[in-house]
Amino acid sequence: MIDDLPYRQVGEPVPGRIVCVADHASNFVPEDVPLGVPAHLLDTHIAVDLGVEGVADRLARRHAMPAHIACISRLVCDLHRREDEDAVVPFSSDGHTIPGNIGADVEKRLERYHRPYHNALADWLDAAQPELIVALHSFTPSLETSDEERPWEVALLYNQDDSAARHAIRLFGEEGLNVGDNEPYSGKQLNASMDRHAEAYGRPYLTIEIRQDLLATEADQARWAALIHDIANRTALALKSA
């Protein structure tokens, strides 16, 4: 983390334009937060949305889409959860117990990570008044605790407001991609950040989930950044024309 902040902001928002948010972009665990999990698990999906940081960084630096990017692992504090959810400091993830979180001081984690992240995001969005928010995540082709395959390449999640998502689903489909609508899980169950910062203010948004094996290399991340930039701009245009 930079100066112990649980986020970093790349690029300066232009009021009324598009911005990016990446809640699960980091696998960083501070030395004073003993999770008690094997080190190799920090390089898996239970700790981080693999590939997302590279896409968000490229969107900001190469495509003029400023980004608010998490700098803390979801195992330390899940920034894409409400404060009152048990999973905000998870005891387990995809069959793996997180022993260091059992009995942890949740209030201290919220005060140190969750609140600064969301307070800064709220201020950033208030200043930007964006025409569209792009929330980036990635998902695994399959879970360790399930045999169900997740064949789609990209998925759009939303809760009550599907106005932007409907356009993006169509546009990704026109690119020849296998698009999931409300998959691998519904935005009605997991949409905390966009519920709070987008739907609560009537701000259009896209929550985009990319299959993580499609983000394995820097070249992959660059291609997806370019595609998302294009889809987001076309979505914003379609919303203006509606």
Side-chain angles (χ1 to χ4, degrees):
M1 294 188 297
I2 299 173
D3 297 327
D4 204 35
L5 292 175
Y7 64 89
R8 62 188 178 95
Q9 293 172 343
V10 184
E12 291 293 330
V14 176
R17 300 296 295 274
I18 304 173
V19 298
C20 173
V21 177
D23 293 333
H24 291 155
S26 176
N27 66 350
F28 178 72
V29 178
E31 291 184 3
D32 61 345
V33 181
L35 295 177
V37 299
H40 74 271
L41 287 180
L42 298 181
D43 293 320
T44 70
H45 70 281
I46 73 165
V48 59
D49 278 2
L50 296 167
V52 162
E53 183 175 25
V55 176
D57 214 59
R58 282 168 175 78
L59 282 169
R61 298 183 188 280
R62 302 182 186 180
H63 298 286
M65 190 183 293
H68 181 90
I69 302 173
C71 295
I72 196 76
S73 172
R74 69 206 301 175
L75 295 182
V76 174
C77 187
D78 193 334
L79 304 170
H80 190 47
R81 299 280 184 171
R82 299 189 314 271
E83 286 193 16
D84 60 353
E85 290 184 81
D86 289 341
V88 73
V89 176
F91 298 159
S92 66
S93 181
D94 198 13
H96 297 280
T97 299
I98 317 300
N101 286 347
I102 298 172
D105 187 336
V106 175
E107 176 62 24
K108 183 177 179 180
R109 300 268 184 102
L110 293 173
E111 189 64 25
R112 183 176 177 184
Y113 306 117
H114 199 277
R115 290 169 189 149
Y117 178 87
H118 283 285
N119 290 341
L121 177 55
D123 291 343
W124 191 70
L125 291 172
D126 284 346
Q129 290 299 309
E131 63 179 345
L132 183 69
I133 303 170
V134 174
L136 290 182
H137 295 269
S138 68
F139 65 93
T140 58
S142 63
L143 291 170
E144 295 180 42
T145 53
S146 172
D147 294 329
E148 182 181 357
E149 292 298 319
R150 297 157 138 182
W152 46 90
E153 295 163 290
V154 60
L156 276 292
L157 278 73
Y158 50 87
N159 190 353
Q160 300 300 315
D161 182 6
D162 67 351
S163 58
R166 289 295 172 199
H167 289 297
I169 289 167
R170 171 179 55 82
L171 292 168
F172 277 119
E174 290 174 359
E175 295 292 328
L177 293 168
N178 184 353
V179 185
D181 177 3
N182 268 21
E183 294 172 309
Y185 37 76
S186 172
K188 296 185 185 301
Q189 281 77 48
L190 185 57
N191 201 51
S193 288
M194 290 301 98
D195 283 346
R196 176 174 177 173
H197 297 288
E199 293 209 356
Y201 294 91
R203 294 167 176 155
Y205 69 95
L206 296 174
T207 296
I208 300 174
E209 293 250 13
I210 307 162
R211 208 175 69 213
Q212 69 178 37
D213 58 313
L214 303 178
L215 300 175
T217 68
E218 290 188 1
D220 292 333
Q221 293 163 20
R223 284 193 293 271
W224 275 95
L227 177 60
I228 289 168
H229 174 260
D230 179 58
I231 296 293
N233 276 282
R234 291 162 68 190
T235 296
L237 183 61
L239 289 170
K240 288 178 182 177
S241 302

